[in-house]
Amino acid sequence: MEKWSLMTITVLLALTVRWAVSLGSYSGAGKPPMYGDYEAQRHWQEVTYNLPIRQWYFNTSDNNLLYWGLDYPPLTAYHSFVCAYIAKLINPDWIALHTSRGYESQPHKLFMRTTVFVADLLVYIPAVILYCFSLKETSTKKKASICALCILLYPGLILIDHGHFQYPLSLGFALWGVLYLSYDWDLLGSVAFCLALNYKQMELYHSLPFFCYLLGKCFKKGLKGKGLVLLTKIAGTVVVCFAVCWLPFCTDMEQIMQVLRRLFPIDRGLFEACMLSSPPPRLANIWCSLSVLIKIKNIVSPQTQLKLSFAVTFLSLLPTCIKLTVQPSLRGFKFALVSCALSFFLFSFQVHEKSILLVSIPVCLIINEIPFMATWFLLVSTFSMLPLLLKDGLLLAYAVTMLAFLSACVASFSIFEKTSAEDLQLKPFSLSLKGHVSWFKSFPKIVRSLFLLSVTLMGILSLMSAAVHPPQRLPDLFPVSVSIISCLHFLLFLVYFNVVILWDSKNSRSQKKIS
């Protein structure tokens, strides 16, 4: 009973922070004609409620795709329809066809914020709670509550969902998938991830770890026996899930192809997110950061950009995926989720700054194992979205939630005391370097110094971005600086996570349990 009392206090605190952030501004508030993501979500409710399903993804006189056209998978559309049905009962003006465009009012804002709050409460937060209770490292009730508190106070997700405006459902479903797999409920895990993928196509960032982990389990069980049975069951489950989600769009092939064109608009080019940003670039991936020095889009054709992006992304994913398939373990799976998602964010096609959340949530799952590096990464990931948050008027919420999260992690995990090679999961790697690298003995001190330097730099840049006018010659100085500094951090984190995965001896021990 006591463990649930502690967890209840944790959840209430997390909900209070979310509601406080939701009282602030949102994406595109009072900024016609396009407004922002808040209006996009409202518009999808308008479209899905007033138009037949066959028109949801097509450009018509009633559905101008250039004005926030639906470009997410069917589950997003169905969710929008459910929200629209409730909105219609409260105030039909909120979703009236054509006339509701750009609708803004306090009652409507309360309704929209509540829909996110409810989605968080029903899907994401329960998954976090049960995940923390499932961890062996958090067997005591106090440790589970501490772990849950730090995950639920992660500022990036709070600011984007309850500030900027976005639903946490795809990440919540993916987290349920991880939770089910941790209990060896592979079919339920497959269902949960299929739901995540059918809510947002960006869940492809996590698809390879799920695929490789389950395939590796099948190999270990033997593809002539239990492994083949499991593989067949998983394949059947995935096919059925996709068939159910896409059933209304399977009336003809053109419907399916139009939805896919909306989900994967490759014609927009590699730099779509950079160019749509204002001011550009404010995306902390390699292509937008390089474009400051090398105008890749001017010297490389769009088709070559696509091939280059695919090749670099694939090569950066390959070692982790091979290791996970050959040595499947739950621990390796969670680290692979981080590494693969970070590779996608840094190198793949048409990335948005909010996509860093697809890396951050898996990092939250290993915060109990590497609290120092996880805390550092989660701070940088939120900082990387600073230009977007400033544009939305969320400076105060950003500052308060960042400080609260850092304080919670320092108090809960004593992160500055956990910087040894063993604490950072680098012991096998350090042993392989023994006798070759003399400075490894002072590694903890170096890491702490780099962390303090990094946090100081992020603090200074945050203050300057908010309070200092850039030179007229360099109007994009601060967003570009945030982008490049964040990208450099992410590249170093990618190297770190790959080193942990590839030199991890625990995986080879834990995989024996699977077989």
Side-chain angles (χ1 to χ4, degrees):
M1 190 68 186
E2 185 184 346
K3 72 176 183 179
W4 285 108
S5 298
L6 283 169
M7 190 60 78
T8 301
I9 294 170
T10 297
V11 171
L12 289 174
L13 179 58
L15 291 176
T16 301
V17 173
R18 282 160 166 74
W19 194 252
V21 170
S22 74
L23 298 175
S25 184
Y26 52 82
S27 172
K31 296 177 181 177
M34 291 300 290
Y35 300 93
D37 283 0
Y38 175 95
E39 167 61 10
Q41 297 286 350
R42 188 217 58 77
H43 180 64
W44 295 343
Q45 294 173 21
E46 172 195 343
V47 167
T48 54
Y49 188 85
N50 291 289
L51 300 180
I53 288 181
R54 64 179 180 275
Q55 293 184 24
W56 286 359
Y57 290 91
F58 280 89
N59 194 55
T60 66
S61 57
D62 290 327
N63 185 22
N64 180 8
L65 294 182
L66 294 179
Y67 184 80
W68 299 116
L70 192 56
D71 54 3
Y72 284 122
L75 275 188
T76 292
Y78 304 150
H79 177 232
S80 296
F81 177 80
V82 172
C83 292
Y85 184 84
I86 299 170
K88 178 77 172 181
L89 297 175
I90 301 171
N91 188 342
D93 292 342
W94 294 348
I95 57 163
L97 191 62
H98 301 311
T99 59
S100 63
R101 180 173 290 194
Y103 191 100
E104 292 181 292
S105 71
Q106 279 302 319
H108 184 254
K109 177 186 174 184
L110 177 61
F111 166 75
M112 294 290 280
R113 293 298 200 193
T114 303
T115 60
V116 179
F117 198 77
V118 170
D120 220 349
L121 195 56
L122 292 180
V123 178
Y124 179 74
I125 291 177
V128 171
I129 294 169
L130 293 176
Y131 173 79
C132 292
F133 279 136
S134 74
L135 296 173
K136 292 179 181 178
E137 297 88 348
T138 60
S139 54
T140 65
K141 47 188 172 286
K142 185 177 179 182
K143 286 183 178 179
S145 298
I146 285 172
C147 186
L149 178 65
C150 291
I151 294 174
L152 292 175
L153 285 184
Y154 166 55
L157 192 65
I158 295 174
L159 292 168
I160 293 299
D161 287 351
H162 300 272
H164 175 83
F165 200 88
Q166 181 174 277
Y167 291 100
L169 291 175
S170 63
L171 294 171
F173 288 137
L175 187 47
W176 277 104
V178 175
L179 180 63
Y180 287 137
L181 292 187
S182 69
Y183 286 106
D184 287 326
W185 298 343
D186 298 326
L187 299 186
L188 284 176
S190 301
V191 170
F193 185 67
C194 284
L195 293 177
L197 193 53
N198 278 289
Y199 192 88
K200 279 193 177 178
Q201 66 270 36
M202 283 83 78
E203 278 297 328
L204 285 169
Y205 283 33
H206 300 145
S207 59
L208 282 174
F210 271 89
F211 175 78
C212 293
Y213 175 66
L214 290 172
L215 184 63
K217 286 187 73 172
C218 294
F219 284 151
K220 289 299 174 183
K221 290 177 182 291
L223 284 182
K224 292 184 179 179
K226 291 181 180 180
L228 180 60
V229 174
L230 178 60
L231 183 62
T232 304
K233 287 181 178 179
I234 292 171
T237 300
V238 171
V239 170
V240 170
C241 282
F242 269 82
V244 171
C245 289
W246 285 72
L247 189 61
F249 301 94
C250 294
T251 53
D252 62 72
M253 186 55 68
E254 181 56 27
Q255 277 278 345
I256 297 173
M257 294 308 298
Q258 176 62 12
V259 177
L260 291 175
R261 281 192 290 267
R262 292 297 299 165
L263 300 189
F264 304 105
I266 58 174
D267 293 337
R268 295 181 188 174
L270 180 63
F271 294 93
E272 179 205 20
C274 299
M275 295 305 105
L276 290 181
S277 299
S278 178
R282 59 181 193 190
L283 175 60
N285 83 340
I286 194 70
W287 308 118
C288 288
S289 297
L290 278 177
S291 70
V292 176
L293 301 174
I294 306 169
K295 302 302 178 184
I296 298 176
K297 67 186 183 73
N298 294 335
I299 58 176
V300 179
S301 68
Q303 286 301 318
T304 306
Q305 292 172 22
L306 178 60
K307 292 175 184 176
L308 177 64
S309 171
F310 175 81
V312 177
T313 306
F314 177 76
L315 290 173
S316 66
L317 293 168
L318 196 58
T320 295
C321 290
I322 291 174
K323 176 74 180 283
L324 184 60
T325 306
V326 175
Q327 297 181 356
S329 71
L330 187 63
R331 184 174 183 276
F333 168 60
K334 289 188 285 189
F335 274 87
L337 285 171
V338 177
S339 176
C340 290
L342 188 52
S343 291
F344 268 106
F345 178 82
L346 284 170
F347 306 119
S348 68
F349 207 70
Q350 293 180 3
V351 177
H352 193 281
E353 58 261 61
K354 293 181 295 183
S355 299
I356 194 61
L357 296 178
L358 292 155
V359 191
S360 301
I361 298 307
V363 171
C364 287
L365 301 183
I366 55 175
I367 195 169
N368 60 302
E369 295 189 48
I370 47 167
F372 179 83
M373 294 301 282
T375 300
W376 191 356
F377 180 91
L378 294 172
L379 289 172
V380 175
S381 69
T382 306
F383 169 73
S384 72
M385 297 184 287
L386 178 62
L388 177 66
L389 299 172
L390 288 177
K391 183 182 177 184
D392 293 339
L394 296 169
L395 174 63
L396 179 61
Y398 163 81
V400 172
T401 53
M402 285 279 274
L403 289 173
F405 174 73
L406 178 58
S407 302
C409 291
V410 170
S412 301
F413 293 111
S414 305
I415 59 173
F416 292 113
E417 298 172 12
K418 298 181 178 178
T419 55
S420 67
E422 188 172 359
D423 289 324
L424 299 181
Q425 310 290 329
L426 291 173
K427 188 74 178 223
F429 179 68
S430 66
L431 290 175
S432 69
L433 294 179
K434 196 173 183 181
H436 300 286
V437 181
S438 58
W439 53 262
F440 220 92
K441 291 181 181 178
S442 57
F443 182 72
K445 188 176 180 180
I446 294 171
V447 170
R448 284 195 295 268
S449 300
L450 288 173
F451 175 83
L452 292 174
L453 177 63
S454 170
V455 170
T456 302
L457 184 59
M458 287 189 287
I460 292 171
L461 254 179
S462 296
L463 285 172
M464 294 182 70
S465 298
V468 178
H469 290 289
Q472 287 187 347
R473 287 190 308 111
L474 301 169
D476 304 333
L477 175 63
F478 297 135
V480 168
S481 299
V482 170
S483 172
I484 293 174
I485 289 170
S486 300
C487 182
L488 291 173
H489 275 85
F490 293 147
L491 285 169
L492 292 174
F493 279 117
L494 181 64
V495 172
Y496 165 74
F497 285 119
N498 274 283
V499 166
V500 171
I501 292 167
L502 297 177
W503 269 265
D504 187 14
S505 58
K506 293 180 182 179
N507 281 353
S508 57
R509 293 196 297 268
S510 58
Q511 66 163 326
K512 295 176 183 177
K513 298 178 183 178
I514 294 173
S515 56

